[in-house]
Amino acid sequence: MNVNHCILIICLFISGFSPAQKGGKYKLWYDKPAKQWVEALPVGNGRLAAMVFGDPSKEKFQLNEGTFWSGGPSRNDNPDGPKVLDSIRYYLFNGNYKRAETLSNKGLTAKTLHGSAFQNIGDLNLDFNNLGDVKDYYRELDIEKAITTTTFSSNGTYYKREVFASIPDQVIVIKLSSDKKNVLNFSAGFNSELKKNTKAIDANTLQMDGLSSTLDGVQGQVKFNALAKFISKGGTISVSGNGISITNADEVMILISIATNFTDYKTLNTDEVSKSKKYITQIKNKSFNTLFKNHINAYQKYFKRVDFSIGTSPASQFPTNIRIKNFATSYDPELVSLYYQFGRYLLISSSQPGGQPANLQGIWNNSNKPAWDSKYTININTEMNYWPAEKTNLPEMHEPLIQMVKDLSVTGAETAKVMYKSRGWVAHHNTDIWRITGVVDFANAGQWPLGSAWLSQHLWEKYLYSGDKNYLKSIYPVLKSAALFYEDFLIEEPTHKWLVVGPSISPENIPQGHQGSALAAGNTMDNQLMFDLFSKTKKAAQILNLDSDKIPVWNNIISKLPPMKIGRYGQLQEWIEDWDNPKDNHRHVSHLYGLFPGNQINPLTTPELFDAAKTVLIHRGDVSTGWSMGWKINLWAKLLEGNHANKLIKDQLTLVEKDGWSEKGGTYPNLFDAHPPFQVDGNFGCTSGITEMLLQTQNGSIDILPALPDEWKNGNISGLKTYGGFEVSMVWKDNQATEVIIKSNLGGNCRISALNELDLEGKSVLKAASEKNENPYFEIPMIKKPLISPEAQLNPVKIKERFIYDLRTEAGRTYILKMKKEHQ
């Protein structure tokens, strides 16, 4: 080693500067700066978010704040609903679907307001002077530490930039450093399409304020205030026009604070200026190291709960965009585990207790007119965002959604009354930060009054994982009110006298030969949701010993719901009539809700429906938009077909290099899901699907490795959650479970299903299961027998033999099961 090299290492050590290490298990990394938004790297703390571009000369941080939306408190109920409802139903039941659609658009669809848009705060730009000859460029997002790092050399100097969004301190922190003194020279300024003013409010603080857009006739009323405070070691800071210039600094820390006047969905009376300043004032004397320590402690409390590995390969030596590009043709198991954990990273970063739920883009959006307004699409997309929350041990991240459902139960009660003269609450297929609950867009997409029914499933699901009766008591009124709406809204159809929802649609599909209209009554998904809502609300009432007089009412409704039907092609029918087209490859597979995320269809108690659901997926094909592929991974996992689910993961991890519109999904260079354009639900859906491949909990037992692909021969995962308060960790070798560790948080019977025999360590007894699982959290729904078309040809359901055990557990104890010795 030469002397100069020694001196360089010593200097790096003394200055605290160290170049980032390339790659690693939890790192997205690149050898070029981001040229477009879908190459930039996301950080977020649930309220604030930034996309980091990493350009050495002209760095850009694109900024979001979770409550910055267009418009202001608003409603979109159509008061003409009661005038047209009976006529719409008359036309539906008499086969004049186009007339029903026309009336629905006139009397039920919102007259003007179709939802507000989540908007872009703007950018903080840093323009570096005298930078040239850039070499050794590297940038990364470390999702284990939730920090981005950019390093490069220029004219013999090494530079480093670090960025994180702090949950406890509620600011975005940027640190600029180098291995030499007096070399940081740059100018800084805010910019935004929606700014009113940008200025330096003192020698080292920039401020930008602005107002949200007017949309659909609702005046923009959300004010924002953004601050950037520059704290320099060495050098000088000076005001330069509307910006700030830094000259010859050794190191600079920038604190970004943003606040709005949003208080809640009804109220805009927060002082955004004092709120924004307060966040800066509280931390201005904290060092970068202190801020980072606070940040990492808060973040890792969530992230570290789950660890997952299915092996490594030389492919991880390449930049992430190259790994995505090569994934289908190379062996790169670590990209799967990275993508899995990236989904958890995004959920922690975009959905924090006390904040807004993750929207269509999580919390990252660079547009003031984003696709679909980046709203909450509650006919699948919002729900999919939260599929990983409980099972991947992030129950706190679920809380913003639960709170939104409580809000909607208030706004939706007005909609139920005004539009349908019904009790209870209702929401349709879209909502926003103002909690609108009327019909958005047009009848063929929006006349789906089941948003309240689906969102209510999340209230109940959360209880199944926690067993918290105080929580159940808090959400029971919302469940009961949702059920109350359908008590009034369900109508008897003329042929079988079944109770059906109508008018409705099967999101967002139009049956062949249906006069170009999507409107119908008694759609399969609606019936499945009605069964779940009434069954679970009844169960909640019984657990809490409330409303005994409602039980017979709800039992009567459940008995009159239509059964599922298997059509002439052997498919689970999407509609009450056999209208399915086997060549239909629509991205929504709404009628498979009963397979996943519902659990009305399984191979043991409903084999005919299980086969019919598989037929639907074969007809629809694998090619689809990103979020739809995410759903299908879950569905193929529930069909116990791990290799097919893995094939879809490969389809999902197909590189989409440019942002834009297409019907073929994949993954952008920064691992964002490509609908395209970007939708975060595909990321969350795939994380959920991988979990379902490794562990299922909905079919009466804890199913170990139910859909393990042949390729994932060896691996381990720890910290997954199941119904009944169990936490499960697993190790497998040669596709067989070698160790299963179960922690029981609530006690009770633990039923375990595995493909190979297991022994229990210690004195507890592992018994072969025989009767129905006595643990109430694992109840399998008893549904009506399906009606099967005489033309249908069904396939026998073949599933691998499994070993099923019962283990009586005590709360707080951990149990270790190992592969039987003779099989090792």
Side-chain angles (χ1 to χ4, degrees):
M1 185 182 287
N2 66 44
V3 174
N4 289 338
H5 200 76
C6 286
I7 290 168
L8 174 62
I9 289 173
I10 291 164
C11 287
L12 291 178
F13 180 77
I14 290 168
S15 70
F17 179 92
S18 59
Q21 284 186 304
K22 272 192 180 180
K25 179 178 178 179
Y26 290 120
K27 291 182 179 182
L28 290 67
W29 73 271
Y30 306 84
D31 56 11
K32 293 181 180 67
K35 289 239 171 31
Q36 54 180 337
W37 191 79
V38 293
E39 294 172 352
L41 295 173
V43 295
N45 69 359
R47 189 181 68 85
L48 301 178
M51 294 291 282
V52 184
F53 282 71
D55 187 305
S57 298
K58 295 187 185 296
E59 180 63 279
K60 180 161 83 171
F61 307 101
Q62 184 268 315
L63 304 169
N64 290 105
E65 201 278 350
T67 61
F68 189 61
W69 288 63
S70 71
S74 44
R75 300 194 59 85
N76 70 333
D77 311 323
N78 190 329
D80 295 338
K83 298 178 197 169
V84 298
L85 184 59
D86 287 345
S87 297
I88 290 169
R89 287 170 161 172
Y90 170 82
Y91 288 118
L92 280 182
F93 290 136
N94 284 280
N96 193 341
Y97 306 109
K98 199 67 186 172
R99 179 67 183 148
E101 182 197 334
T102 302
L103 280 178
S104 182
N105 274 323
K106 185 179 177 185
L108 293 176
T109 301
K111 290 182 183 291
T112 53
L113 178 62
H114 293 278
S116 293
F118 179 52
Q119 298 202 297
N120 171 23
I121 292 286
D123 304 326
L124 176 67
N125 296 301
L126 308 182
D127 191 347
F128 288 82
N129 314 320
N130 308 318
L131 260 191
D133 188 32
V134 171
K135 294 178 179 174
D136 307 316
Y137 181 87
Y138 173 82
R139 68 186 172 102
E140 70 173 24
L141 169 61
D142 184 337
I143 61 170
E144 185 179 28
K145 295 174 181 167
I147 185 169
T148 74
T149 305
T150 304
T151 59
F152 56 89
S153 69
S154 172
N155 298 321
T157 300
Y158 278 89
Y159 292 89
K160 186 175 188 178
R161 300 175 190 165
E162 298 161 277
V163 187
F164 64 87
S166 171
I167 294 167
D169 290 313
Q170 285 297 302
V171 291
I172 293 167
V173 182
I174 302 165
K175 179 185 172 187
L176 312 173
S177 59
S178 69
D179 68 336
K180 290 180 184 165
K181 289 181 178 271
N182 310 324
V183 294
L184 290 173
N185 295 283
F186 64 94
S187 56
F190 275 125
N191 195 32
S192 169
E193 286 177 40
L194 299 176
K195 70 178 182 293
K196 290 194 297 180
N197 299 292
T198 60
K199 61 182 179 181
I201 57 172
D202 60 39
N204 59 2
T205 310
L206 284 177
Q207 176 179 275
M208 175 170 68
D209 56 46
L211 186 67
S212 68
S213 298
T214 296
L215 187 70
D216 278 356
V218 180
Q219 188 73 33
Q221 297 159 54
V222 185
K223 301 174 189 173
F224 75 80
N225 183 270
L227 297 171
K229 185 175 184 68
F230 296 77
I231 301 165
S232 173
K233 282 187 185 172
T236 57
I237 305 180
S238 58
V239 175
S240 174
N242 293 335
I244 274 178
S245 289
I246 310 279
T247 309
N248 298 335
D250 304 338
E251 181 180 301
V252 179
M253 182 165 71
I254 308 169
L255 305 176
I256 299 175
S257 175
I258 310 169
T260 75
N261 62 336
F262 179 92
T263 306
D264 59 36
Y265 70 90
K266 312 181 287 289
T267 322
L268 296 171
N269 63 2
T270 296
D271 182 339
E272 72 282 0
V273 177
S274 63
K275 185 177 180 182
S276 181
K277 282 181 179 170
K278 184 181 169 190
Y279 290 127
I280 295 274
T281 304
Q282 287 172 342
I283 60 156
K284 64 181 181 181
N285 296 322
K286 293 182 181 177
S287 69
F288 177 84
N289 287 345
T290 300
L291 291 167
F292 184 61
K293 187 179 173 186
N294 292 349
H295 154 73
I296 208 164
N297 287 344
Y299 171 77
Q300 289 191 342
K301 178 178 80 172
Y302 305 121
F303 183 80
K304 290 275 201 178
R305 290 173 185 167
V306 169
D307 189 41
F308 172 42
S309 172
I310 48 171
T312 59
S313 80
S316 61
Q317 298 168 16
F318 294 99
T320 303
N321 55 315
I322 304 299
R323 291 172 73 181
I324 302 167
K325 193 170 192 174
N326 295 339
F327 186 69
T329 55
S330 64
Y331 177 65
D332 189 358
E334 208 167 36
L335 187 61
V336 176
S337 54
L338 178 67
Y339 190 74
Y340 178 86
Q341 291 283 35
F342 184 63
R344 296 182 69 247
Y345 167 81
L346 293 176
L347 191 56
I348 298 166
S349 303
S350 63
S351 184
Q352 281 287 315
Q356 296 300 310
N359 62 46
L360 205 55
Q361 294 188 197
I363 198 175
W364 300 275
N365 165 36
N366 66 333
S367 172
N368 294 313
K369 295 178 181 174
W372 303 284
D373 297 329
S374 196
K375 292 197 294 281
Y376 299 100
T377 305
I378 55 177
N379 66 13
I380 172 71
N381 312 90
T382 301
E383 290 87 352
M384 184 182 283
N385 283 359
Y386 287 90
W387 287 352
E390 299 292 334
K391 67 182 80 160
T392 77
N393 213 333
L394 298 174
E396 298 91 342
M397 277 70 265
H398 210 171
E399 289 173 23
L401 181 71
I402 304 300
Q403 183 56 50
M404 182 170 85
V405 181
K406 290 178 180 177
D407 294 346
L408 290 169
S409 73
V410 177
T411 58
E414 182 74 5
T415 302
K417 185 167 68 176
V418 168
M419 289 183 60
Y420 301 114
K421 287 194 171 172
S422 295
R423 299 168 296 164
W425 74 280
V426 65
H428 294 81
H429 97 297
N430 246 275
T431 190
D432 60 17
I433 197 168
W434 316 116
R435 309 307 189 234
I436 58 166
T437 44
V439 177
V440 165
D441 297 331
F442 45 88
N444 276 356
Q447 187 47 55
W448 184 74
L450 278 299
S452 45
W454 195 344
L455 286 172
S456 292
Q457 304 312 310
H458 281 260
L459 305 181
W460 174 253
E461 266 300 278
K462 190 164 183 62
Y463 166 72
L464 288 181
Y465 280 90
S466 72
D468 183 342
K469 287 201 178 133
N470 288 327
Y471 161 76
L472 185 63
K473 200 170 182 181
S474 77
I475 55 95
Y476 173 70
V478 182
L479 287 175
K480 180 185 172 184
S481 178
L484 204 58
F485 170 77
Y486 298 104
E487 280 183 46
D488 292 352
F489 190 74
L490 286 166
I491 186 168
E492 203 175 73
E493 55 82 35
T495 310
H496 302 279
K497 310 300 182 191
W498 290 323
L499 288 176
V500 297
V501 177
S504 184
I505 62 170
S506 185
E508 298 170 12
N509 203 2
I510 298 175
Q512 187 180 23
H514 204 246
Q515 303 158 15
S517 173
L519 255 62
N523 304 314
T524 298
M525 183 195 210
D526 300 1
N527 305 331
Q528 293 167 342
L529 281 167
M530 287 298 91
F531 176 87
D532 272 357
L533 178 64
F534 283 105
S535 300
K536 291 166 183 178
T537 306
K538 179 184 85 168
K539 188 80 180 164
Q542 290 169 329
I543 292 165
L544 296 169
N545 202 20
L546 295 170
D547 294 320
S548 57
D549 58 319
K550 298 295 295 185
I551 306 299
V553 176
W554 294 333
N555 279 336
N556 183 49
I557 289 170
I558 291 166
S559 73
K560 292 183 176 179
L561 294 172
M564 283 186 250
K565 298 171 90 173
I566 296 173
R568 63 189 184 274
Y569 302 112
Q571 86 288 5
L572 175 63
Q573 288 180 200
E574 184 162 2
W575 296 274
I576 205 164
E577 302 297 337
D578 196 353
W579 292 329
D580 297 85
N581 174 7
K583 293 184 179 171
D584 178 8
N585 58 5
H586 197 270
R587 64 195 175 279
H588 282 258
V589 281
S590 304
H591 46 317
L592 299 190
Y593 162 87
L595 176 63
F596 185 89
N599 66 340
Q600 296 170 30
I601 300 171
N602 72 68
L604 299 173
T605 62
T606 59
E608 302 94 344
L609 290 170
F610 190 79
D611 179 63
K614 182 177 177 180
T615 298
V616 170
L617 276 182
I618 292 167
H619 287 172
R620 288 290 163 96
D622 292 342
V623 176
S624 56
T625 56
W627 68 263
S628 179
M629 277 193 276
W631 193 356
K632 288 173 183 174
I633 294 165
N634 289 271
L635 291 164
W636 281 108
K638 284 303 293 286
L639 290 170
L640 309 177
E641 302 222 7
N643 289 333
H644 201 130
N646 189 35
K647 187 260 178 191
L648 275 160
I649 292 170
K650 291 181 178 179
D651 291 349
Q652 178 78 34
L653 285 166
T654 299
L655 186 64
V656 177
E657 297 198 61
K658 288 202 181 334
D659 203 356
W661 291 79
S662 168
E663 281 298 304
K664 189 175 179 187
T667 295
Y668 288 119
N670 64 357
L671 279 190
F672 271 171
D673 165 61
H675 178 285
F678 165 55
Q679 281 187 201
V680 78
D681 44 19
N683 290 97
F684 296 138
C686 194
T687 294
S688 169
I690 291 167
T691 311
E692 293 295 324
M693 293 161 75
L694 301 175
L695 190 77
Q696 291 179 21
T697 192
Q698 304 100 325
N699 293 339
S701 58
I702 295 172
D703 301 336
I704 307 296
L705 306 177
L708 186 70
D710 295 338
E711 266 185 21
W712 298 0
K713 192 174 175 185
N714 304 314
N716 60 78
I717 192 161
S718 60
L720 299 180
K721 285 292 187 78
T722 79
Y723 290 169
F726 296 105
E727 186 173 307
V728 179
S729 302
M730 300 176 289
V731 180
W732 63 94
K733 287 179 183 166
D734 296 324
N735 302 93
Q736 291 193 307
T738 56
E739 182 177 77
V740 179
I741 302 171
I742 297 175
K743 183 182 177 186
S744 175
N745 292 307
L746 301 175
N749 187 54
C750 181
R751 177 161 290 182
I752 303 141
S753 168
L755 284 167
N756 56 278
E757 288 186 275
L758 298 168
D759 275 332
L760 183 66
E761 286 193 346
K763 295 178 182 175
S764 303
V765 180
L766 199 61
K767 291 182 179 173
S770 52
E771 307 296 320
K772 177 184 166 188
N773 188 354
E774 66 186 48
N775 190 320
Y777 298 104
F778 289 85
E779 194 172 348
I780 297 176
M782 299 305 294
I783 64 168
K784 287 182 177 177
K785 281 195 171 296
L787 296 181
I788 303 173
S789 164
E791 297 173 59
Q793 291 187 333
L794 297 177
N795 305 296
V797 171
K798 295 175 185 171
I799 57 172
K800 292 176 183 174
E801 183 193 354
R802 297 183 72 86
F803 298 91
I804 305 173
Y805 305 101
D806 277 342
L807 169 62
R808 294 197 179 280
T809 70
E810 295 173 28
R813 283 196 59 190
T814 298
Y815 302 84
I816 300 172
L817 292 78
K818 298 242 174 158
M819 179 192 276
K820 251 193 182 333
K821 283 189 178 154
E822 53 262 39
H823 299 297
Q824 288 180 13

